[in-house]
């Protein structure tokens, strides 16, 4: 196996010897490289710890060779040593991911590492996110078969990547999707568009000895094969569309659910009305015991087979994303409404250039459960959509208006209620008000400036002597940012976040960047506040740091 | 192409139906030990009283080798010693050394309240518990050996060729009537284990030979009920099988089976055999 891998790596690397040499053996080589480096020193005020290695580095290179229907690729990764916040088990370097694939008209086959998703991912989604330090790719075989126009069948089997190894659990899955408009010629041009799908995933894992807490002579009778199935539909008619998926999982006692035998289920509904200048979206979800991992004893974010989509808005401004919501796969109810409207130019509110208004609100609660037991029992009972304690709620109003040909102002107000229990802390409720003003000014053809001012008022507070109030995000904050873009190549930015009341820390940052074609270099110096980085409801703890950062990205 | 489509649909359907285990609520937890199948026999056994010595020890216990020496000097095949690694403190392994603690040993240690090592028990008789000093243990063992046996016991064990399974046969005969419920506990014991041990002079012997080490309680910690009425002369045969873990060398192992009073947990008799 290792010899084959080395041979494949050698072939692929030799092909990339002439990086831009498209047309090698009739094929095409593409790729990208990313390097992130970090230096940090001890800072007791913000909680940054000394880095003994002085320099930490994450690097990767993706190389893809394509020749007609055939493709092959690999990814080299290096963590020497991993950046702060990345698991130390990543330490090392090597070929982390490799595959060969055939992609024909009716049949596609991938052997090696692959990423796949069934429906919205509630029963299977393998993906990687370099910023979260997450890669749950499957090493195995993935087959897509398209017997008729509008019909896609998928079948796969493999083991999931965990750091530099593969989890012991074996994952098998099948999925079918039918687009009725493509399949039935009489409705091919109908305004009503309908796609139906269904999937099933099963994982096999060897038995292990988990003692019963009530009687040490007894152990849990673990299901070795755990199945999860889902049905879904995607329907649209004119401006309206609806996506719905229901998933159900068999008994899956694991460390994530405290080894209970209650089956899992989840429902996700998403409906949208969209027309020129206006769109409205409503999402609802119910998740009950849907942690589905290929290794039952694996805690944390690794080895998830499935993915529960987040329905809270993915905020980008610093204070709006200071308390991100982490999806609770063990149970939650959620509702989100999102409305966008454009006041046309020439109207009272639209003015000379028009005005965009975006209102978003989400509320996530726990399930309303009645505990029936602990390890080795059904665990609890819960009613559908009966609401438990509040996990998260927010409402944000964003108004974007072009003030002149060269100046655009975006202002945002948001109110958030955050329960730290979703991050594993004691239950509480923090109430935050956030105001953001973001002004872009295109000074001339070569220069542009961006100014950002943010304020957050919160009833949370920091107290080093109280273990429930040591969160350094706490308190009231202000922030300013100036960004200067010089031509299309350079940029310089400076920012400062300061906790001026009941909080701790002054987090300044300076950065400069240079972009040439597909290559981008960035050098930064400053302080990073500890907190959570969440992407799509999946989060990584980011520790505090104080020092230099450097990044390089390029593609070819 | 249609054929392939139907085959694929068939595979999908089969996988969907087959790849999911369902556990009934009454089976969420299961007995974690081998089950003994009992049957009545006419096989009579010559009653021999043997003595079960349960010794609690630990690799970081400097006085434990003294207890080993005392018990190793008893050259009597009717004395069956089982060494149990204390779960905490001096019982914990040195770094990078094998961990000889077992779930069963921990349960026994906790139940009998072993708070110091070395300790030793004769037939699980609370009045014959030695903690620290092993003075007088030899004379107490001799006294226990002189008792008239209530039950007679023989044990034999065979392993499959690839050592995947071990089959154990236990012959039990009530030499006297005994009208209280009794249990049978079967354990896997390993000799010739070489790992670090603290010595009385506080030096460390890197390759101390550990014998009689409890590796697994096969039947569950407190044994299985003996399916017999307890009338004098009654004979039963118990059969069980188990799958040994990869970390034991079966050629160095033996099986220890002992009969206990279910209520008091005192050991009535014991037998031991090599695995053939």
């Amino acid at each position: 196996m290792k010899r084959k891998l080395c041979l494949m790596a050698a072939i692929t690397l030799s092909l990339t010897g002439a990086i831009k040499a498209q047309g090698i053996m009739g094929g095409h080589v593409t790729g990208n490289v990313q390097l992130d480096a970090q230096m940090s020193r001890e800072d007791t005020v913000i909680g940054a710890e000394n880095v003994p290695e002085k320099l930490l580095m994450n690097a990767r290179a993706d190389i893809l060779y394509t020749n007609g229907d055939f493709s092959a690729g690999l990814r080299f990764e290096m963590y020497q040593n991993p950046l702060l916040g990345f698991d130390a088990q990543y330490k090392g370097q090597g070929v982390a991911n490799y595959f060969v694939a055939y992609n024909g008209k009716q049949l596609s086959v991938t052997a090696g590492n692959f990423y796949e998703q069934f429906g919205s991912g509630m029963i299977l989604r393998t993906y990687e996110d370099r910023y979260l330090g997450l890669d749950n790719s499957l090493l195995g075989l993935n087959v897509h078969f398209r017997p008729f126009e509008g019909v896609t069948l998928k079948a796969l089997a493999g083991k999931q990547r965990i750091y530099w190894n593969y989890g012991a659990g074996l994952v098998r899955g099948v999925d079918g999707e039918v687009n009725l408009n493509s399949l039935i010629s009489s409705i091919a041009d109908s305004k009503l568009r309908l796609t139906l799908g269904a999937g099933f995933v099963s994982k096999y894992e060897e038995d292990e000895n988990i003692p019963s807490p009530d009687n040490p002579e007894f152990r849990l009778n673990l299901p070795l094969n755990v199945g999860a199935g889902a049905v879904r539909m995607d329907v649209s008619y004119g401006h309206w569309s609806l996506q719905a998926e229901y998933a159900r999982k068999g008994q899956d006692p694991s460390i994530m659910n405290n080894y209970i035998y209650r089956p899992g289920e989840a429902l996700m509904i998403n409906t949208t009305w969209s027309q020129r200048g206006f769109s409205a979206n409503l999402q609802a979800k119910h998740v009950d015991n849907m942690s589905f991992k290929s290794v039952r004893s694996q805690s944390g974010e690794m080895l998830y087979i499935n993915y529960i989509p987040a329905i809270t808005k993915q905020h980008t401004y610093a204070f709006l994303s200071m308390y991100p919501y982490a999806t609770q796969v063990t149970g939650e109810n959620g509702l989100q409404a999102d409305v966008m409207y454009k006041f046309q130019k020439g109207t009272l509110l639209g003015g000379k250039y028009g005005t965009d208004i975006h209102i978003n609100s989400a509320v996530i609660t726990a399930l309303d459960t009645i505990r029936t037991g602990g390890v080795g029992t059904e665990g609890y009972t819960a009613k559908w959509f009966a609401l438990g304690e509040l996990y998260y709620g927010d409402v944000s109003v964003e108004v974007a208006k072009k003030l002149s040909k060269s100046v655009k102002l975006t202002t945002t107000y948001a109110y958030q209620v955050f329960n730290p229990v979703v991050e594993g802390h004691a239950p509480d409720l923090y109430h935050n008000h956030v105001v953001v003003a973001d002004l872009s000014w295109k000074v001339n053809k070569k220069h542009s400036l961006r100014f950002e001012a943010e304020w957050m008022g919160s009833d949370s507070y920091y107290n080093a002597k109280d273990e429930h109030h040591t969160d350094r995000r706490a308190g009231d904050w202000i922030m300013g940012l100036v960004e200067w873009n010089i031509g299309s190549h350079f940029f310089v930015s400076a920012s400062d976040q300061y906790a001026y009341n009941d909080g701790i820390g002054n987090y300044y940052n300076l950065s400069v960047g240079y972009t040439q074609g597909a290559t981008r270099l960035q050098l930064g110096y400053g302080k990073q506040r500890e907190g959570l980085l969440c992407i799509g409801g999946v989060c990584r703890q980011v520790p505090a740091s104080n020092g230099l950062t450097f990044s390089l990205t390029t593609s070819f | 192409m249609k054929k392939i489509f139907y085959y694929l649909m068939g595979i999908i359907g089969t996988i969907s139906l087959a790849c999911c285990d369902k556990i009934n609520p009454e089976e969420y937890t299961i007995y974690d030990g081998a089950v003994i199948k009992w049957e009545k026999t006419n096989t009579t056994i010559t009653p021999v009283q043997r003595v079960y010595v349960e010794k609690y020890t630990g690799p970081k216990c400097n006085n434990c080798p003294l207890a080993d020496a005392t018990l190793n000097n008893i050259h009597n095949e009717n004395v069956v010693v089982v060494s149990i690694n204390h779960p905490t403190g001096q019982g914990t392994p040195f770094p990078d050394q094998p961990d000889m603690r077992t779930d069963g040993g921990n349960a026994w240690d906790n139940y009998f309240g072993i708070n110091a090592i070395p300790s030793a028990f004769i037939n699980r008789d609370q009045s014959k518990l030695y903690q620290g000093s092993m003075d007088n243990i030899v004379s107490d063992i001799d006294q226990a050996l002189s008792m008239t046996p209530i039950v007679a016991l023989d044990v034999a064990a065979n392993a499959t060729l690839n050592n995947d399974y071990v089959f154990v046969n236990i012959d039990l005969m009530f030499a006297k009537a005994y009208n209280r419920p009794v249990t049978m506990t079967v354990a896997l014991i390993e000799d010739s284990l070489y790992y670090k041990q603290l010595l009385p002079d506080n030096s460390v012997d890197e390759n101390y030979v550990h014998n009689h080490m409890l590796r697994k309680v096969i039947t569950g910690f407190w044994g299985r009920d003996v399916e017999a009425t307890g009338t004098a002369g009654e004979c039963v045969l118990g059969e069980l099988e188990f799958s040994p873990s990869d970390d034991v060398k079966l050629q160095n192992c033996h099986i220890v089976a002992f009969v206990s009073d279910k209520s008091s947990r005192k050991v009535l008799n014991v037998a031991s055999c090599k695995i053939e």
Side-chain angles (χ1 to χ4, degrees), chain B residues 44 51 56 67 74 84 112 151 157 167 179 181-182 190 198-199 209 219 221-223 231-233 235 260:
Chain B
T44 55
V51 171
Y56 291 87
I74 303 171
I84 293 149
F112 293 116
V151 292
F167 299 93
N179 59 4
V182 293
E190 188 168 1
L198 194 64
L199 299 178
V209 186
T219 46
F221 310 155
W222 303 109
T231 52
C235 300
S260 318

Side-chain angles (χ1 to χ4, degrees), chain A residues 106 145 147-148 151 153-155 172 174-175 200-203 209 211-212 216-227 250-251 261-262 375-378, chain B residues 1-2 4-6 8-9 11-13 15-25 27-33 103 107 216 219-224 265:
Chain A
Q106 282 195 305
F145 181 50
F148 316 110
V151 176
L153 301 171
K154 300 175 182 177
R172 294 81 46 103
V174 288
D175 186 77
F200 183 83
V201 177
S202 168
K203 68 128 181 187
N209 194 330
S212 165
E217 284 193 77
F218 281 70
R219 66 182 176 90
L220 299 191
N221 185 13
L222 298 166
L224 308 186
N225 294 283
V226 177
Q251 295 162 327
Y261 284 72
R262 178 181 173 81
V375 174
T377 69
E378 287 278 320
Chain B
M1 188 56 73
K2 269 190 178 177
I4 296 174
F5 177 67
Y6 292 132
L8 267 172
M9 293 305 288
I11 292 167
I12 290 171
I15 291 173
S16 304
L17 291 171
C19 292
C20 192
D21 298 337
K22 179 160 172 51
I23 315 278
N24 293 322
E27 294 171 339
Y28 285 168
T29 56
I30 51 175
Y31 180 66
D32 186 29
D103 292 340
K216 185 177 174 62
T219 46
F221 310 155
W222 303 109
R224 299 290 286 177
R265 293 187 169 157

